[in-house]
Amino acid sequence: MSLIAEKVAGLSPRQREMLLERLKSQPDTRQPSVPETGQNTMAPLTAGQERMWLLEQLEEASSPYAMPVVFKIDGPLDRDDLRRALNLLVERHAVLRTQFPVIDDQPMQVVQPAREVPFATRDLQQVPASQQAEAVRQIALEEIEQGFDLATGPLIRAVLMRLTEQRSALLVVLHHIVCDGWSLAVLRSDLIALYASARGETAALPPLPSQYVDYARWQQRWLEGPAARAGLEYWERQLADAPAELTLPFDRPRPSVRTSAGDVRAITLSAELDTALREQAQSESVSLFILLLTAYKVLLHRLSGATDLLVGTPVANRERSETQGLIGLFLNTVVLRSDLTGDPSFSEVLKRVREVALEAYDRPELPFDRVVDQLKPERSLSLTPLFQTMFVLEAQPSSLAETQQALNLELSSLSIHNGTSQFDLSLLLHPEGGGLRCSVEFSTDVFDGETIERLLGHWRTLLEGVVQDPNRRISELPIVDEAQRRRIFSEWNQTATEMPAGVTLQALFEERVSRAPEARAVELGGSRRTYAELNQEANRLAHYLKQQGAGPEVRIGLLLDRSIEWVTSLLAIFKAGAAYVPLDPLYPQSRLVYMARDAGVSRILSHSSLAGLVRDSEIPVVCLDHETEALSQCSSENPAPAAKPEHLAYSIYTSGSTGRSKGVLVDQRALINHCLDFIRRFELRQEDRVLQFASLGFDVAAEEMIPTLLSSAI
């Protein structure tokens, strides 16, 4: 669909009438057409070709820039006539016989005389019908991997694959520097007509009004004119202070240097949903493109939380009639920026997106690379500039729909993915079998296929919600269907596990000590303790604490540096039946005092070098380095159990980043459940070694130490 048609499609009958009246009263201000110069041998590269040429120099292989298309042919086919038609196609479109040598340190496009298209045949009739599609795909991938030599060409080649006597597949592979998606529709239309002409069934196609090199010269002049300067000024205003990156829920961090490795996943929306979306677009006086783009932006917002969203979308850039029948790289990219702040309704976002899109459509010819050069965003090898996700609604131009009136053939296209992705995500939509095919091409640097499959499910559910009620706020639109909801809230929530009745942390640890008393339990620097030694030291301190009144629900502060003494104290508190409150010495003094008072600790176990940090708390401080004599008098035998599973194990404080920090209470049953699951999932064994690195005031510290001690590891 042309850009003008895209705009008109969203108008009501009354708006169209007003538009026609206004156009009649306006002077003709169209841009000059692309002339035929007759000098069709050499020209500078277009802006799009410059970018493609530079990218080619940076790649070890050209497969990311190969454009394969497979035509499925049902009917009797004459191989020689097809070959002649391909040669006539190259003769007709000069860009298909163009080379890109470097002349005077500058890449140039040089048109060569017509020559034979590399044309191979493969017989797949012996391949089982169920395996032929995969065989065709493998042949296509082999051709893609061969790459192209831009300096010498040719930049087009073909393979004819015989599937049966009445069925074939024609693979045509071109380099992106000489074609785009629109060009493939031109290629298909012209190839059918030229095949009929080669068989003498129709007249030859009329001459083209111009060639791609004519467009290249025209663009070079246009970029130096006032229209290009005005376009740059617009994009400077539109993209000022734009965010550099859209952070989605990736499966892994971005690599420092992104690669082109990619994959694709797809679903097809039903004909009913497709019809409903088209009717919704008409009722909102927008095109289907604007409706679907808005839905995509809402989905990105829901997945990322971002409200300033930049999405790239291709424009055919063929507003002039003389370019519409040409094969060549006319494709350009525009960046559509949308504001989703304020949790607006979907209908409100629709208006915002439509306004921005129509403004951008008025500037389809300004090359994207010129915009990037003008804005000078901070460059990174890990992500693409300005945007990282693309939206494409494919629709074959009606003027290029092939006619097969004189042919006894049925010809349709079959897409072959080349295993690459230019962006993090690209959503590609095109009509198929009465429905809408939705394909997501994604970077395997950051996404797994399963994640994209879930994303496509969110996409379908969101669209269903849009047609049901477009006036809902975007935060209220559904993105999880009933099956996903059941999986999340029911299947994934089946976490019940068998727990030993009445078991406590003291009992679990002492049972492990009995199994491996001489195994190493903890080590720091040159100091180490076996399980038996650690148990005896903890027992002495536990008896001491019980003498001081420790027992169930009594809270004892732990103000110690990372040390073996910290582990001993933790175990001693459990053995005394009490609960611990970690007090990290690295915290500010005021926070330590607040936590100790708020938690209601009865006393604080510390060291003389740290005791001053809580001197204002008025809570008794036990300096363990001063109590060595008293501890030596205490029994090293296991104390009688005092705690039960429902008693408090510890109290941990939140960060306080959104207000005053709060204490969270964790009982023994919950901690035991977590520790046993941790041991099971990570398969902790006696021979394992665990590094304790988390802050002692962070609950991960307990996750590191307690499961390790309960599994006889170190």
Side-chain angles (χ1 to χ4, degrees), residues 487-686:
R487 186 178 305 115
I488 294 170
F489 293 106
S490 179
E491 296 175 17
W492 291 355
N493 206 32
Q494 297 300 319
T495 58
T497 185
E498 291 293 329
M499 285 277 293
V503 72
T504 63
L505 291 163
Q506 175 185 358
L508 288 172
F509 175 70
E510 290 172 357
E511 189 270 338
R512 286 298 172 181
V513 173
S514 66
R515 285 192 185 187
E518 300 308 315
R520 277 186 296 166
V522 62
E523 183 174 329
L524 179 64
S527 299
R528 62 184 61 181
R529 299 289 189 277
T530 65
Y531 271 88
E533 292 169 341
L534 187 64
N535 187 54
Q536 290 172 358
E537 290 182 13
N539 287 341
R540 292 190 179 94
L541 181 55
H543 286 293
Y544 175 87
L545 293 174
K546 293 183 78 171
Q547 293 170 10
Q548 302 294 318
E553 302 303 320
V554 173
R555 301 166 194 182
I556 298 175
L558 268 182
L559 179 62
L560 291 166
D561 289 317
R562 182 182 283 107
S563 60
I564 294 178
E565 199 171 37
W566 202 98
V567 181
T568 303
S569 300
L570 177 72
L571 290 170
I573 292 172
F574 288 150
K575 284 172 173 284
Y580 76 92
V581 179
L583 302 172
D584 193 329
L586 297 178
Y587 284 170
Q589 183 174 353
S590 59
R591 178 180 170 91
L592 292 172
V593 171
Y594 162 75
M595 290 167 56
R597 289 174 175 171
D598 187 69
V601 300
S602 63
R603 56 189 24 79
I604 298 172
L605 298 185
S606 187
H607 192 278
S608 57
S609 62
L610 300 173
L613 293 174
V614 288
R615 61 176 177 270
D616 296 332
S617 68
E618 300 177 356
I619 298 171
V621 179
V622 177
C623 296
L624 295 176
D625 54 326
H626 290 169
E627 301 296 327
T628 55
E629 179 64 27
L631 290 172
S632 67
Q633 302 300 315
C634 294
S635 172
S636 63
E637 297 298 319
N638 294 333
K644 295 181 179 180
E646 62 269 22
H647 287 145
L648 188 65
Y650 70 90
S651 176
I652 194 90
Y653 274 74
T654 62
S655 65
S657 56
T658 58
R660 203 169 186 84
S661 60
K662 302 173 182 64
V664 178
L665 305 178
V666 180
D667 63 29
Q668 290 226 7
R669 180 184 289 108
L671 183 55
I672 291 170
N673 182 41
H674 179 72
C675 289
L676 295 182
D677 187 66
F678 188 95
I679 292 169
R680 179 179 61 83
R681 290 180 182 274
F682 288 91
E683 300 180 352
L684 279 179
R685 300 291 184 268
Q686 182 175 332

Side-chain angles (χ1 to χ4, degrees), residues 437-453:
R437 183 73 168 172
C438 307
S439 303
V440 173
E441 183 180 86
F442 60 96
S443 168
T444 51
D445 286 345
V446 292
F447 285 114
D448 292 330
E450 293 80 4
T451 302
I452 303 303
E453 290 167 5

Side-chain angles (χ1 to χ4, degrees), residues 332-348:
N332 192 24
T333 301
V334 296
V335 186
L336 303 179
R337 185 180 187 181
S338 298
D339 174 16
L340 274 67
T341 57
D343 193 20
S345 68
F346 182 83
S347 293
E348 173 59 30

Side-chain angles (χ1 to χ4, degrees), residues 220-255:
Q220 188 179 49
R221 294 192 299 272
W222 183 87
L223 287 172
E224 298 172 354
R229 289 194 292 272
L232 284 174
E233 292 172 359
Y234 166 80
W235 287 113
E236 275 193 299
R237 294 192 304 272
Q238 180 66 15
L239 301 179
D241 301 319
E245 179 180 3
L246 174 63
T247 302
L248 292 164
F250 299 134
D251 291 303
R252 61 192 65 86
R254 288 187 187 279

Side-chain angles (χ1 to χ4, degrees), residues 40 237 279 288 349 482 539:
N40 292 331
R237 294 192 304 272
E279 292 174 350
L288 180 64
V349 179
E482 187 55 38
N539 287 341

Side-chain angles (χ1 to χ4, degrees), residues 203-310:
L205 289 171
L208 292 168
S210 61
Q211 289 288 344
Y212 189 80
V213 287
D214 299 320
Y215 170 75
R217 297 189 189 95
W218 175 89
Q219 186 192 66
Q220 188 179 49
R221 294 192 299 272
W222 183 87
L223 287 172
E224 298 172 354
R229 289 194 292 272
L232 284 174
E233 292 172 359
Y234 166 80
W235 287 113
E236 275 193 299
R237 294 192 304 272
Q238 180 66 15
L239 301 179
D241 301 319
E245 179 180 3
L246 174 63
T247 302
L248 292 164
F250 299 134
D251 291 303
R252 61 192 65 86
R254 288 187 187 279
S256 56
V257 178
R258 77 178 304 274
T259 73
S260 60
D263 204 348
V264 67
R265 295 291 187 275
I267 60 171
T268 299
L269 304 181
S270 67
E272 292 76 15
L273 181 54
D274 181 48
T275 300
L277 289 167
R278 294 177 187 275
E279 292 174 350
Q280 184 66 43
Q282 187 173 11
S283 69
E284 297 276 0
S285 297
V286 298
S287 66
L288 180 64
F289 171 85
I290 296 297
L291 181 79
L292 293 172
L293 172 62
T294 303
Y296 185 51
K297 292 206 170 193
V298 170
L299 179 62
L300 294 174
H301 161 70
R302 293 289 295 276
L303 294 176
S304 67
T307 55
D308 189 354
L309 287 166
L310 282 76

Side-chain angles (χ1 to χ4, degrees), residues 132-147:
Q132 284 183 339
E134 178 60 22
V136 170
R137 192 180 77 88
Q138 288 300 324
I139 291 172
L141 293 177
E142 291 171 7
E143 289 295 322
I144 291 169
E145 287 301 319
Q146 287 187 28

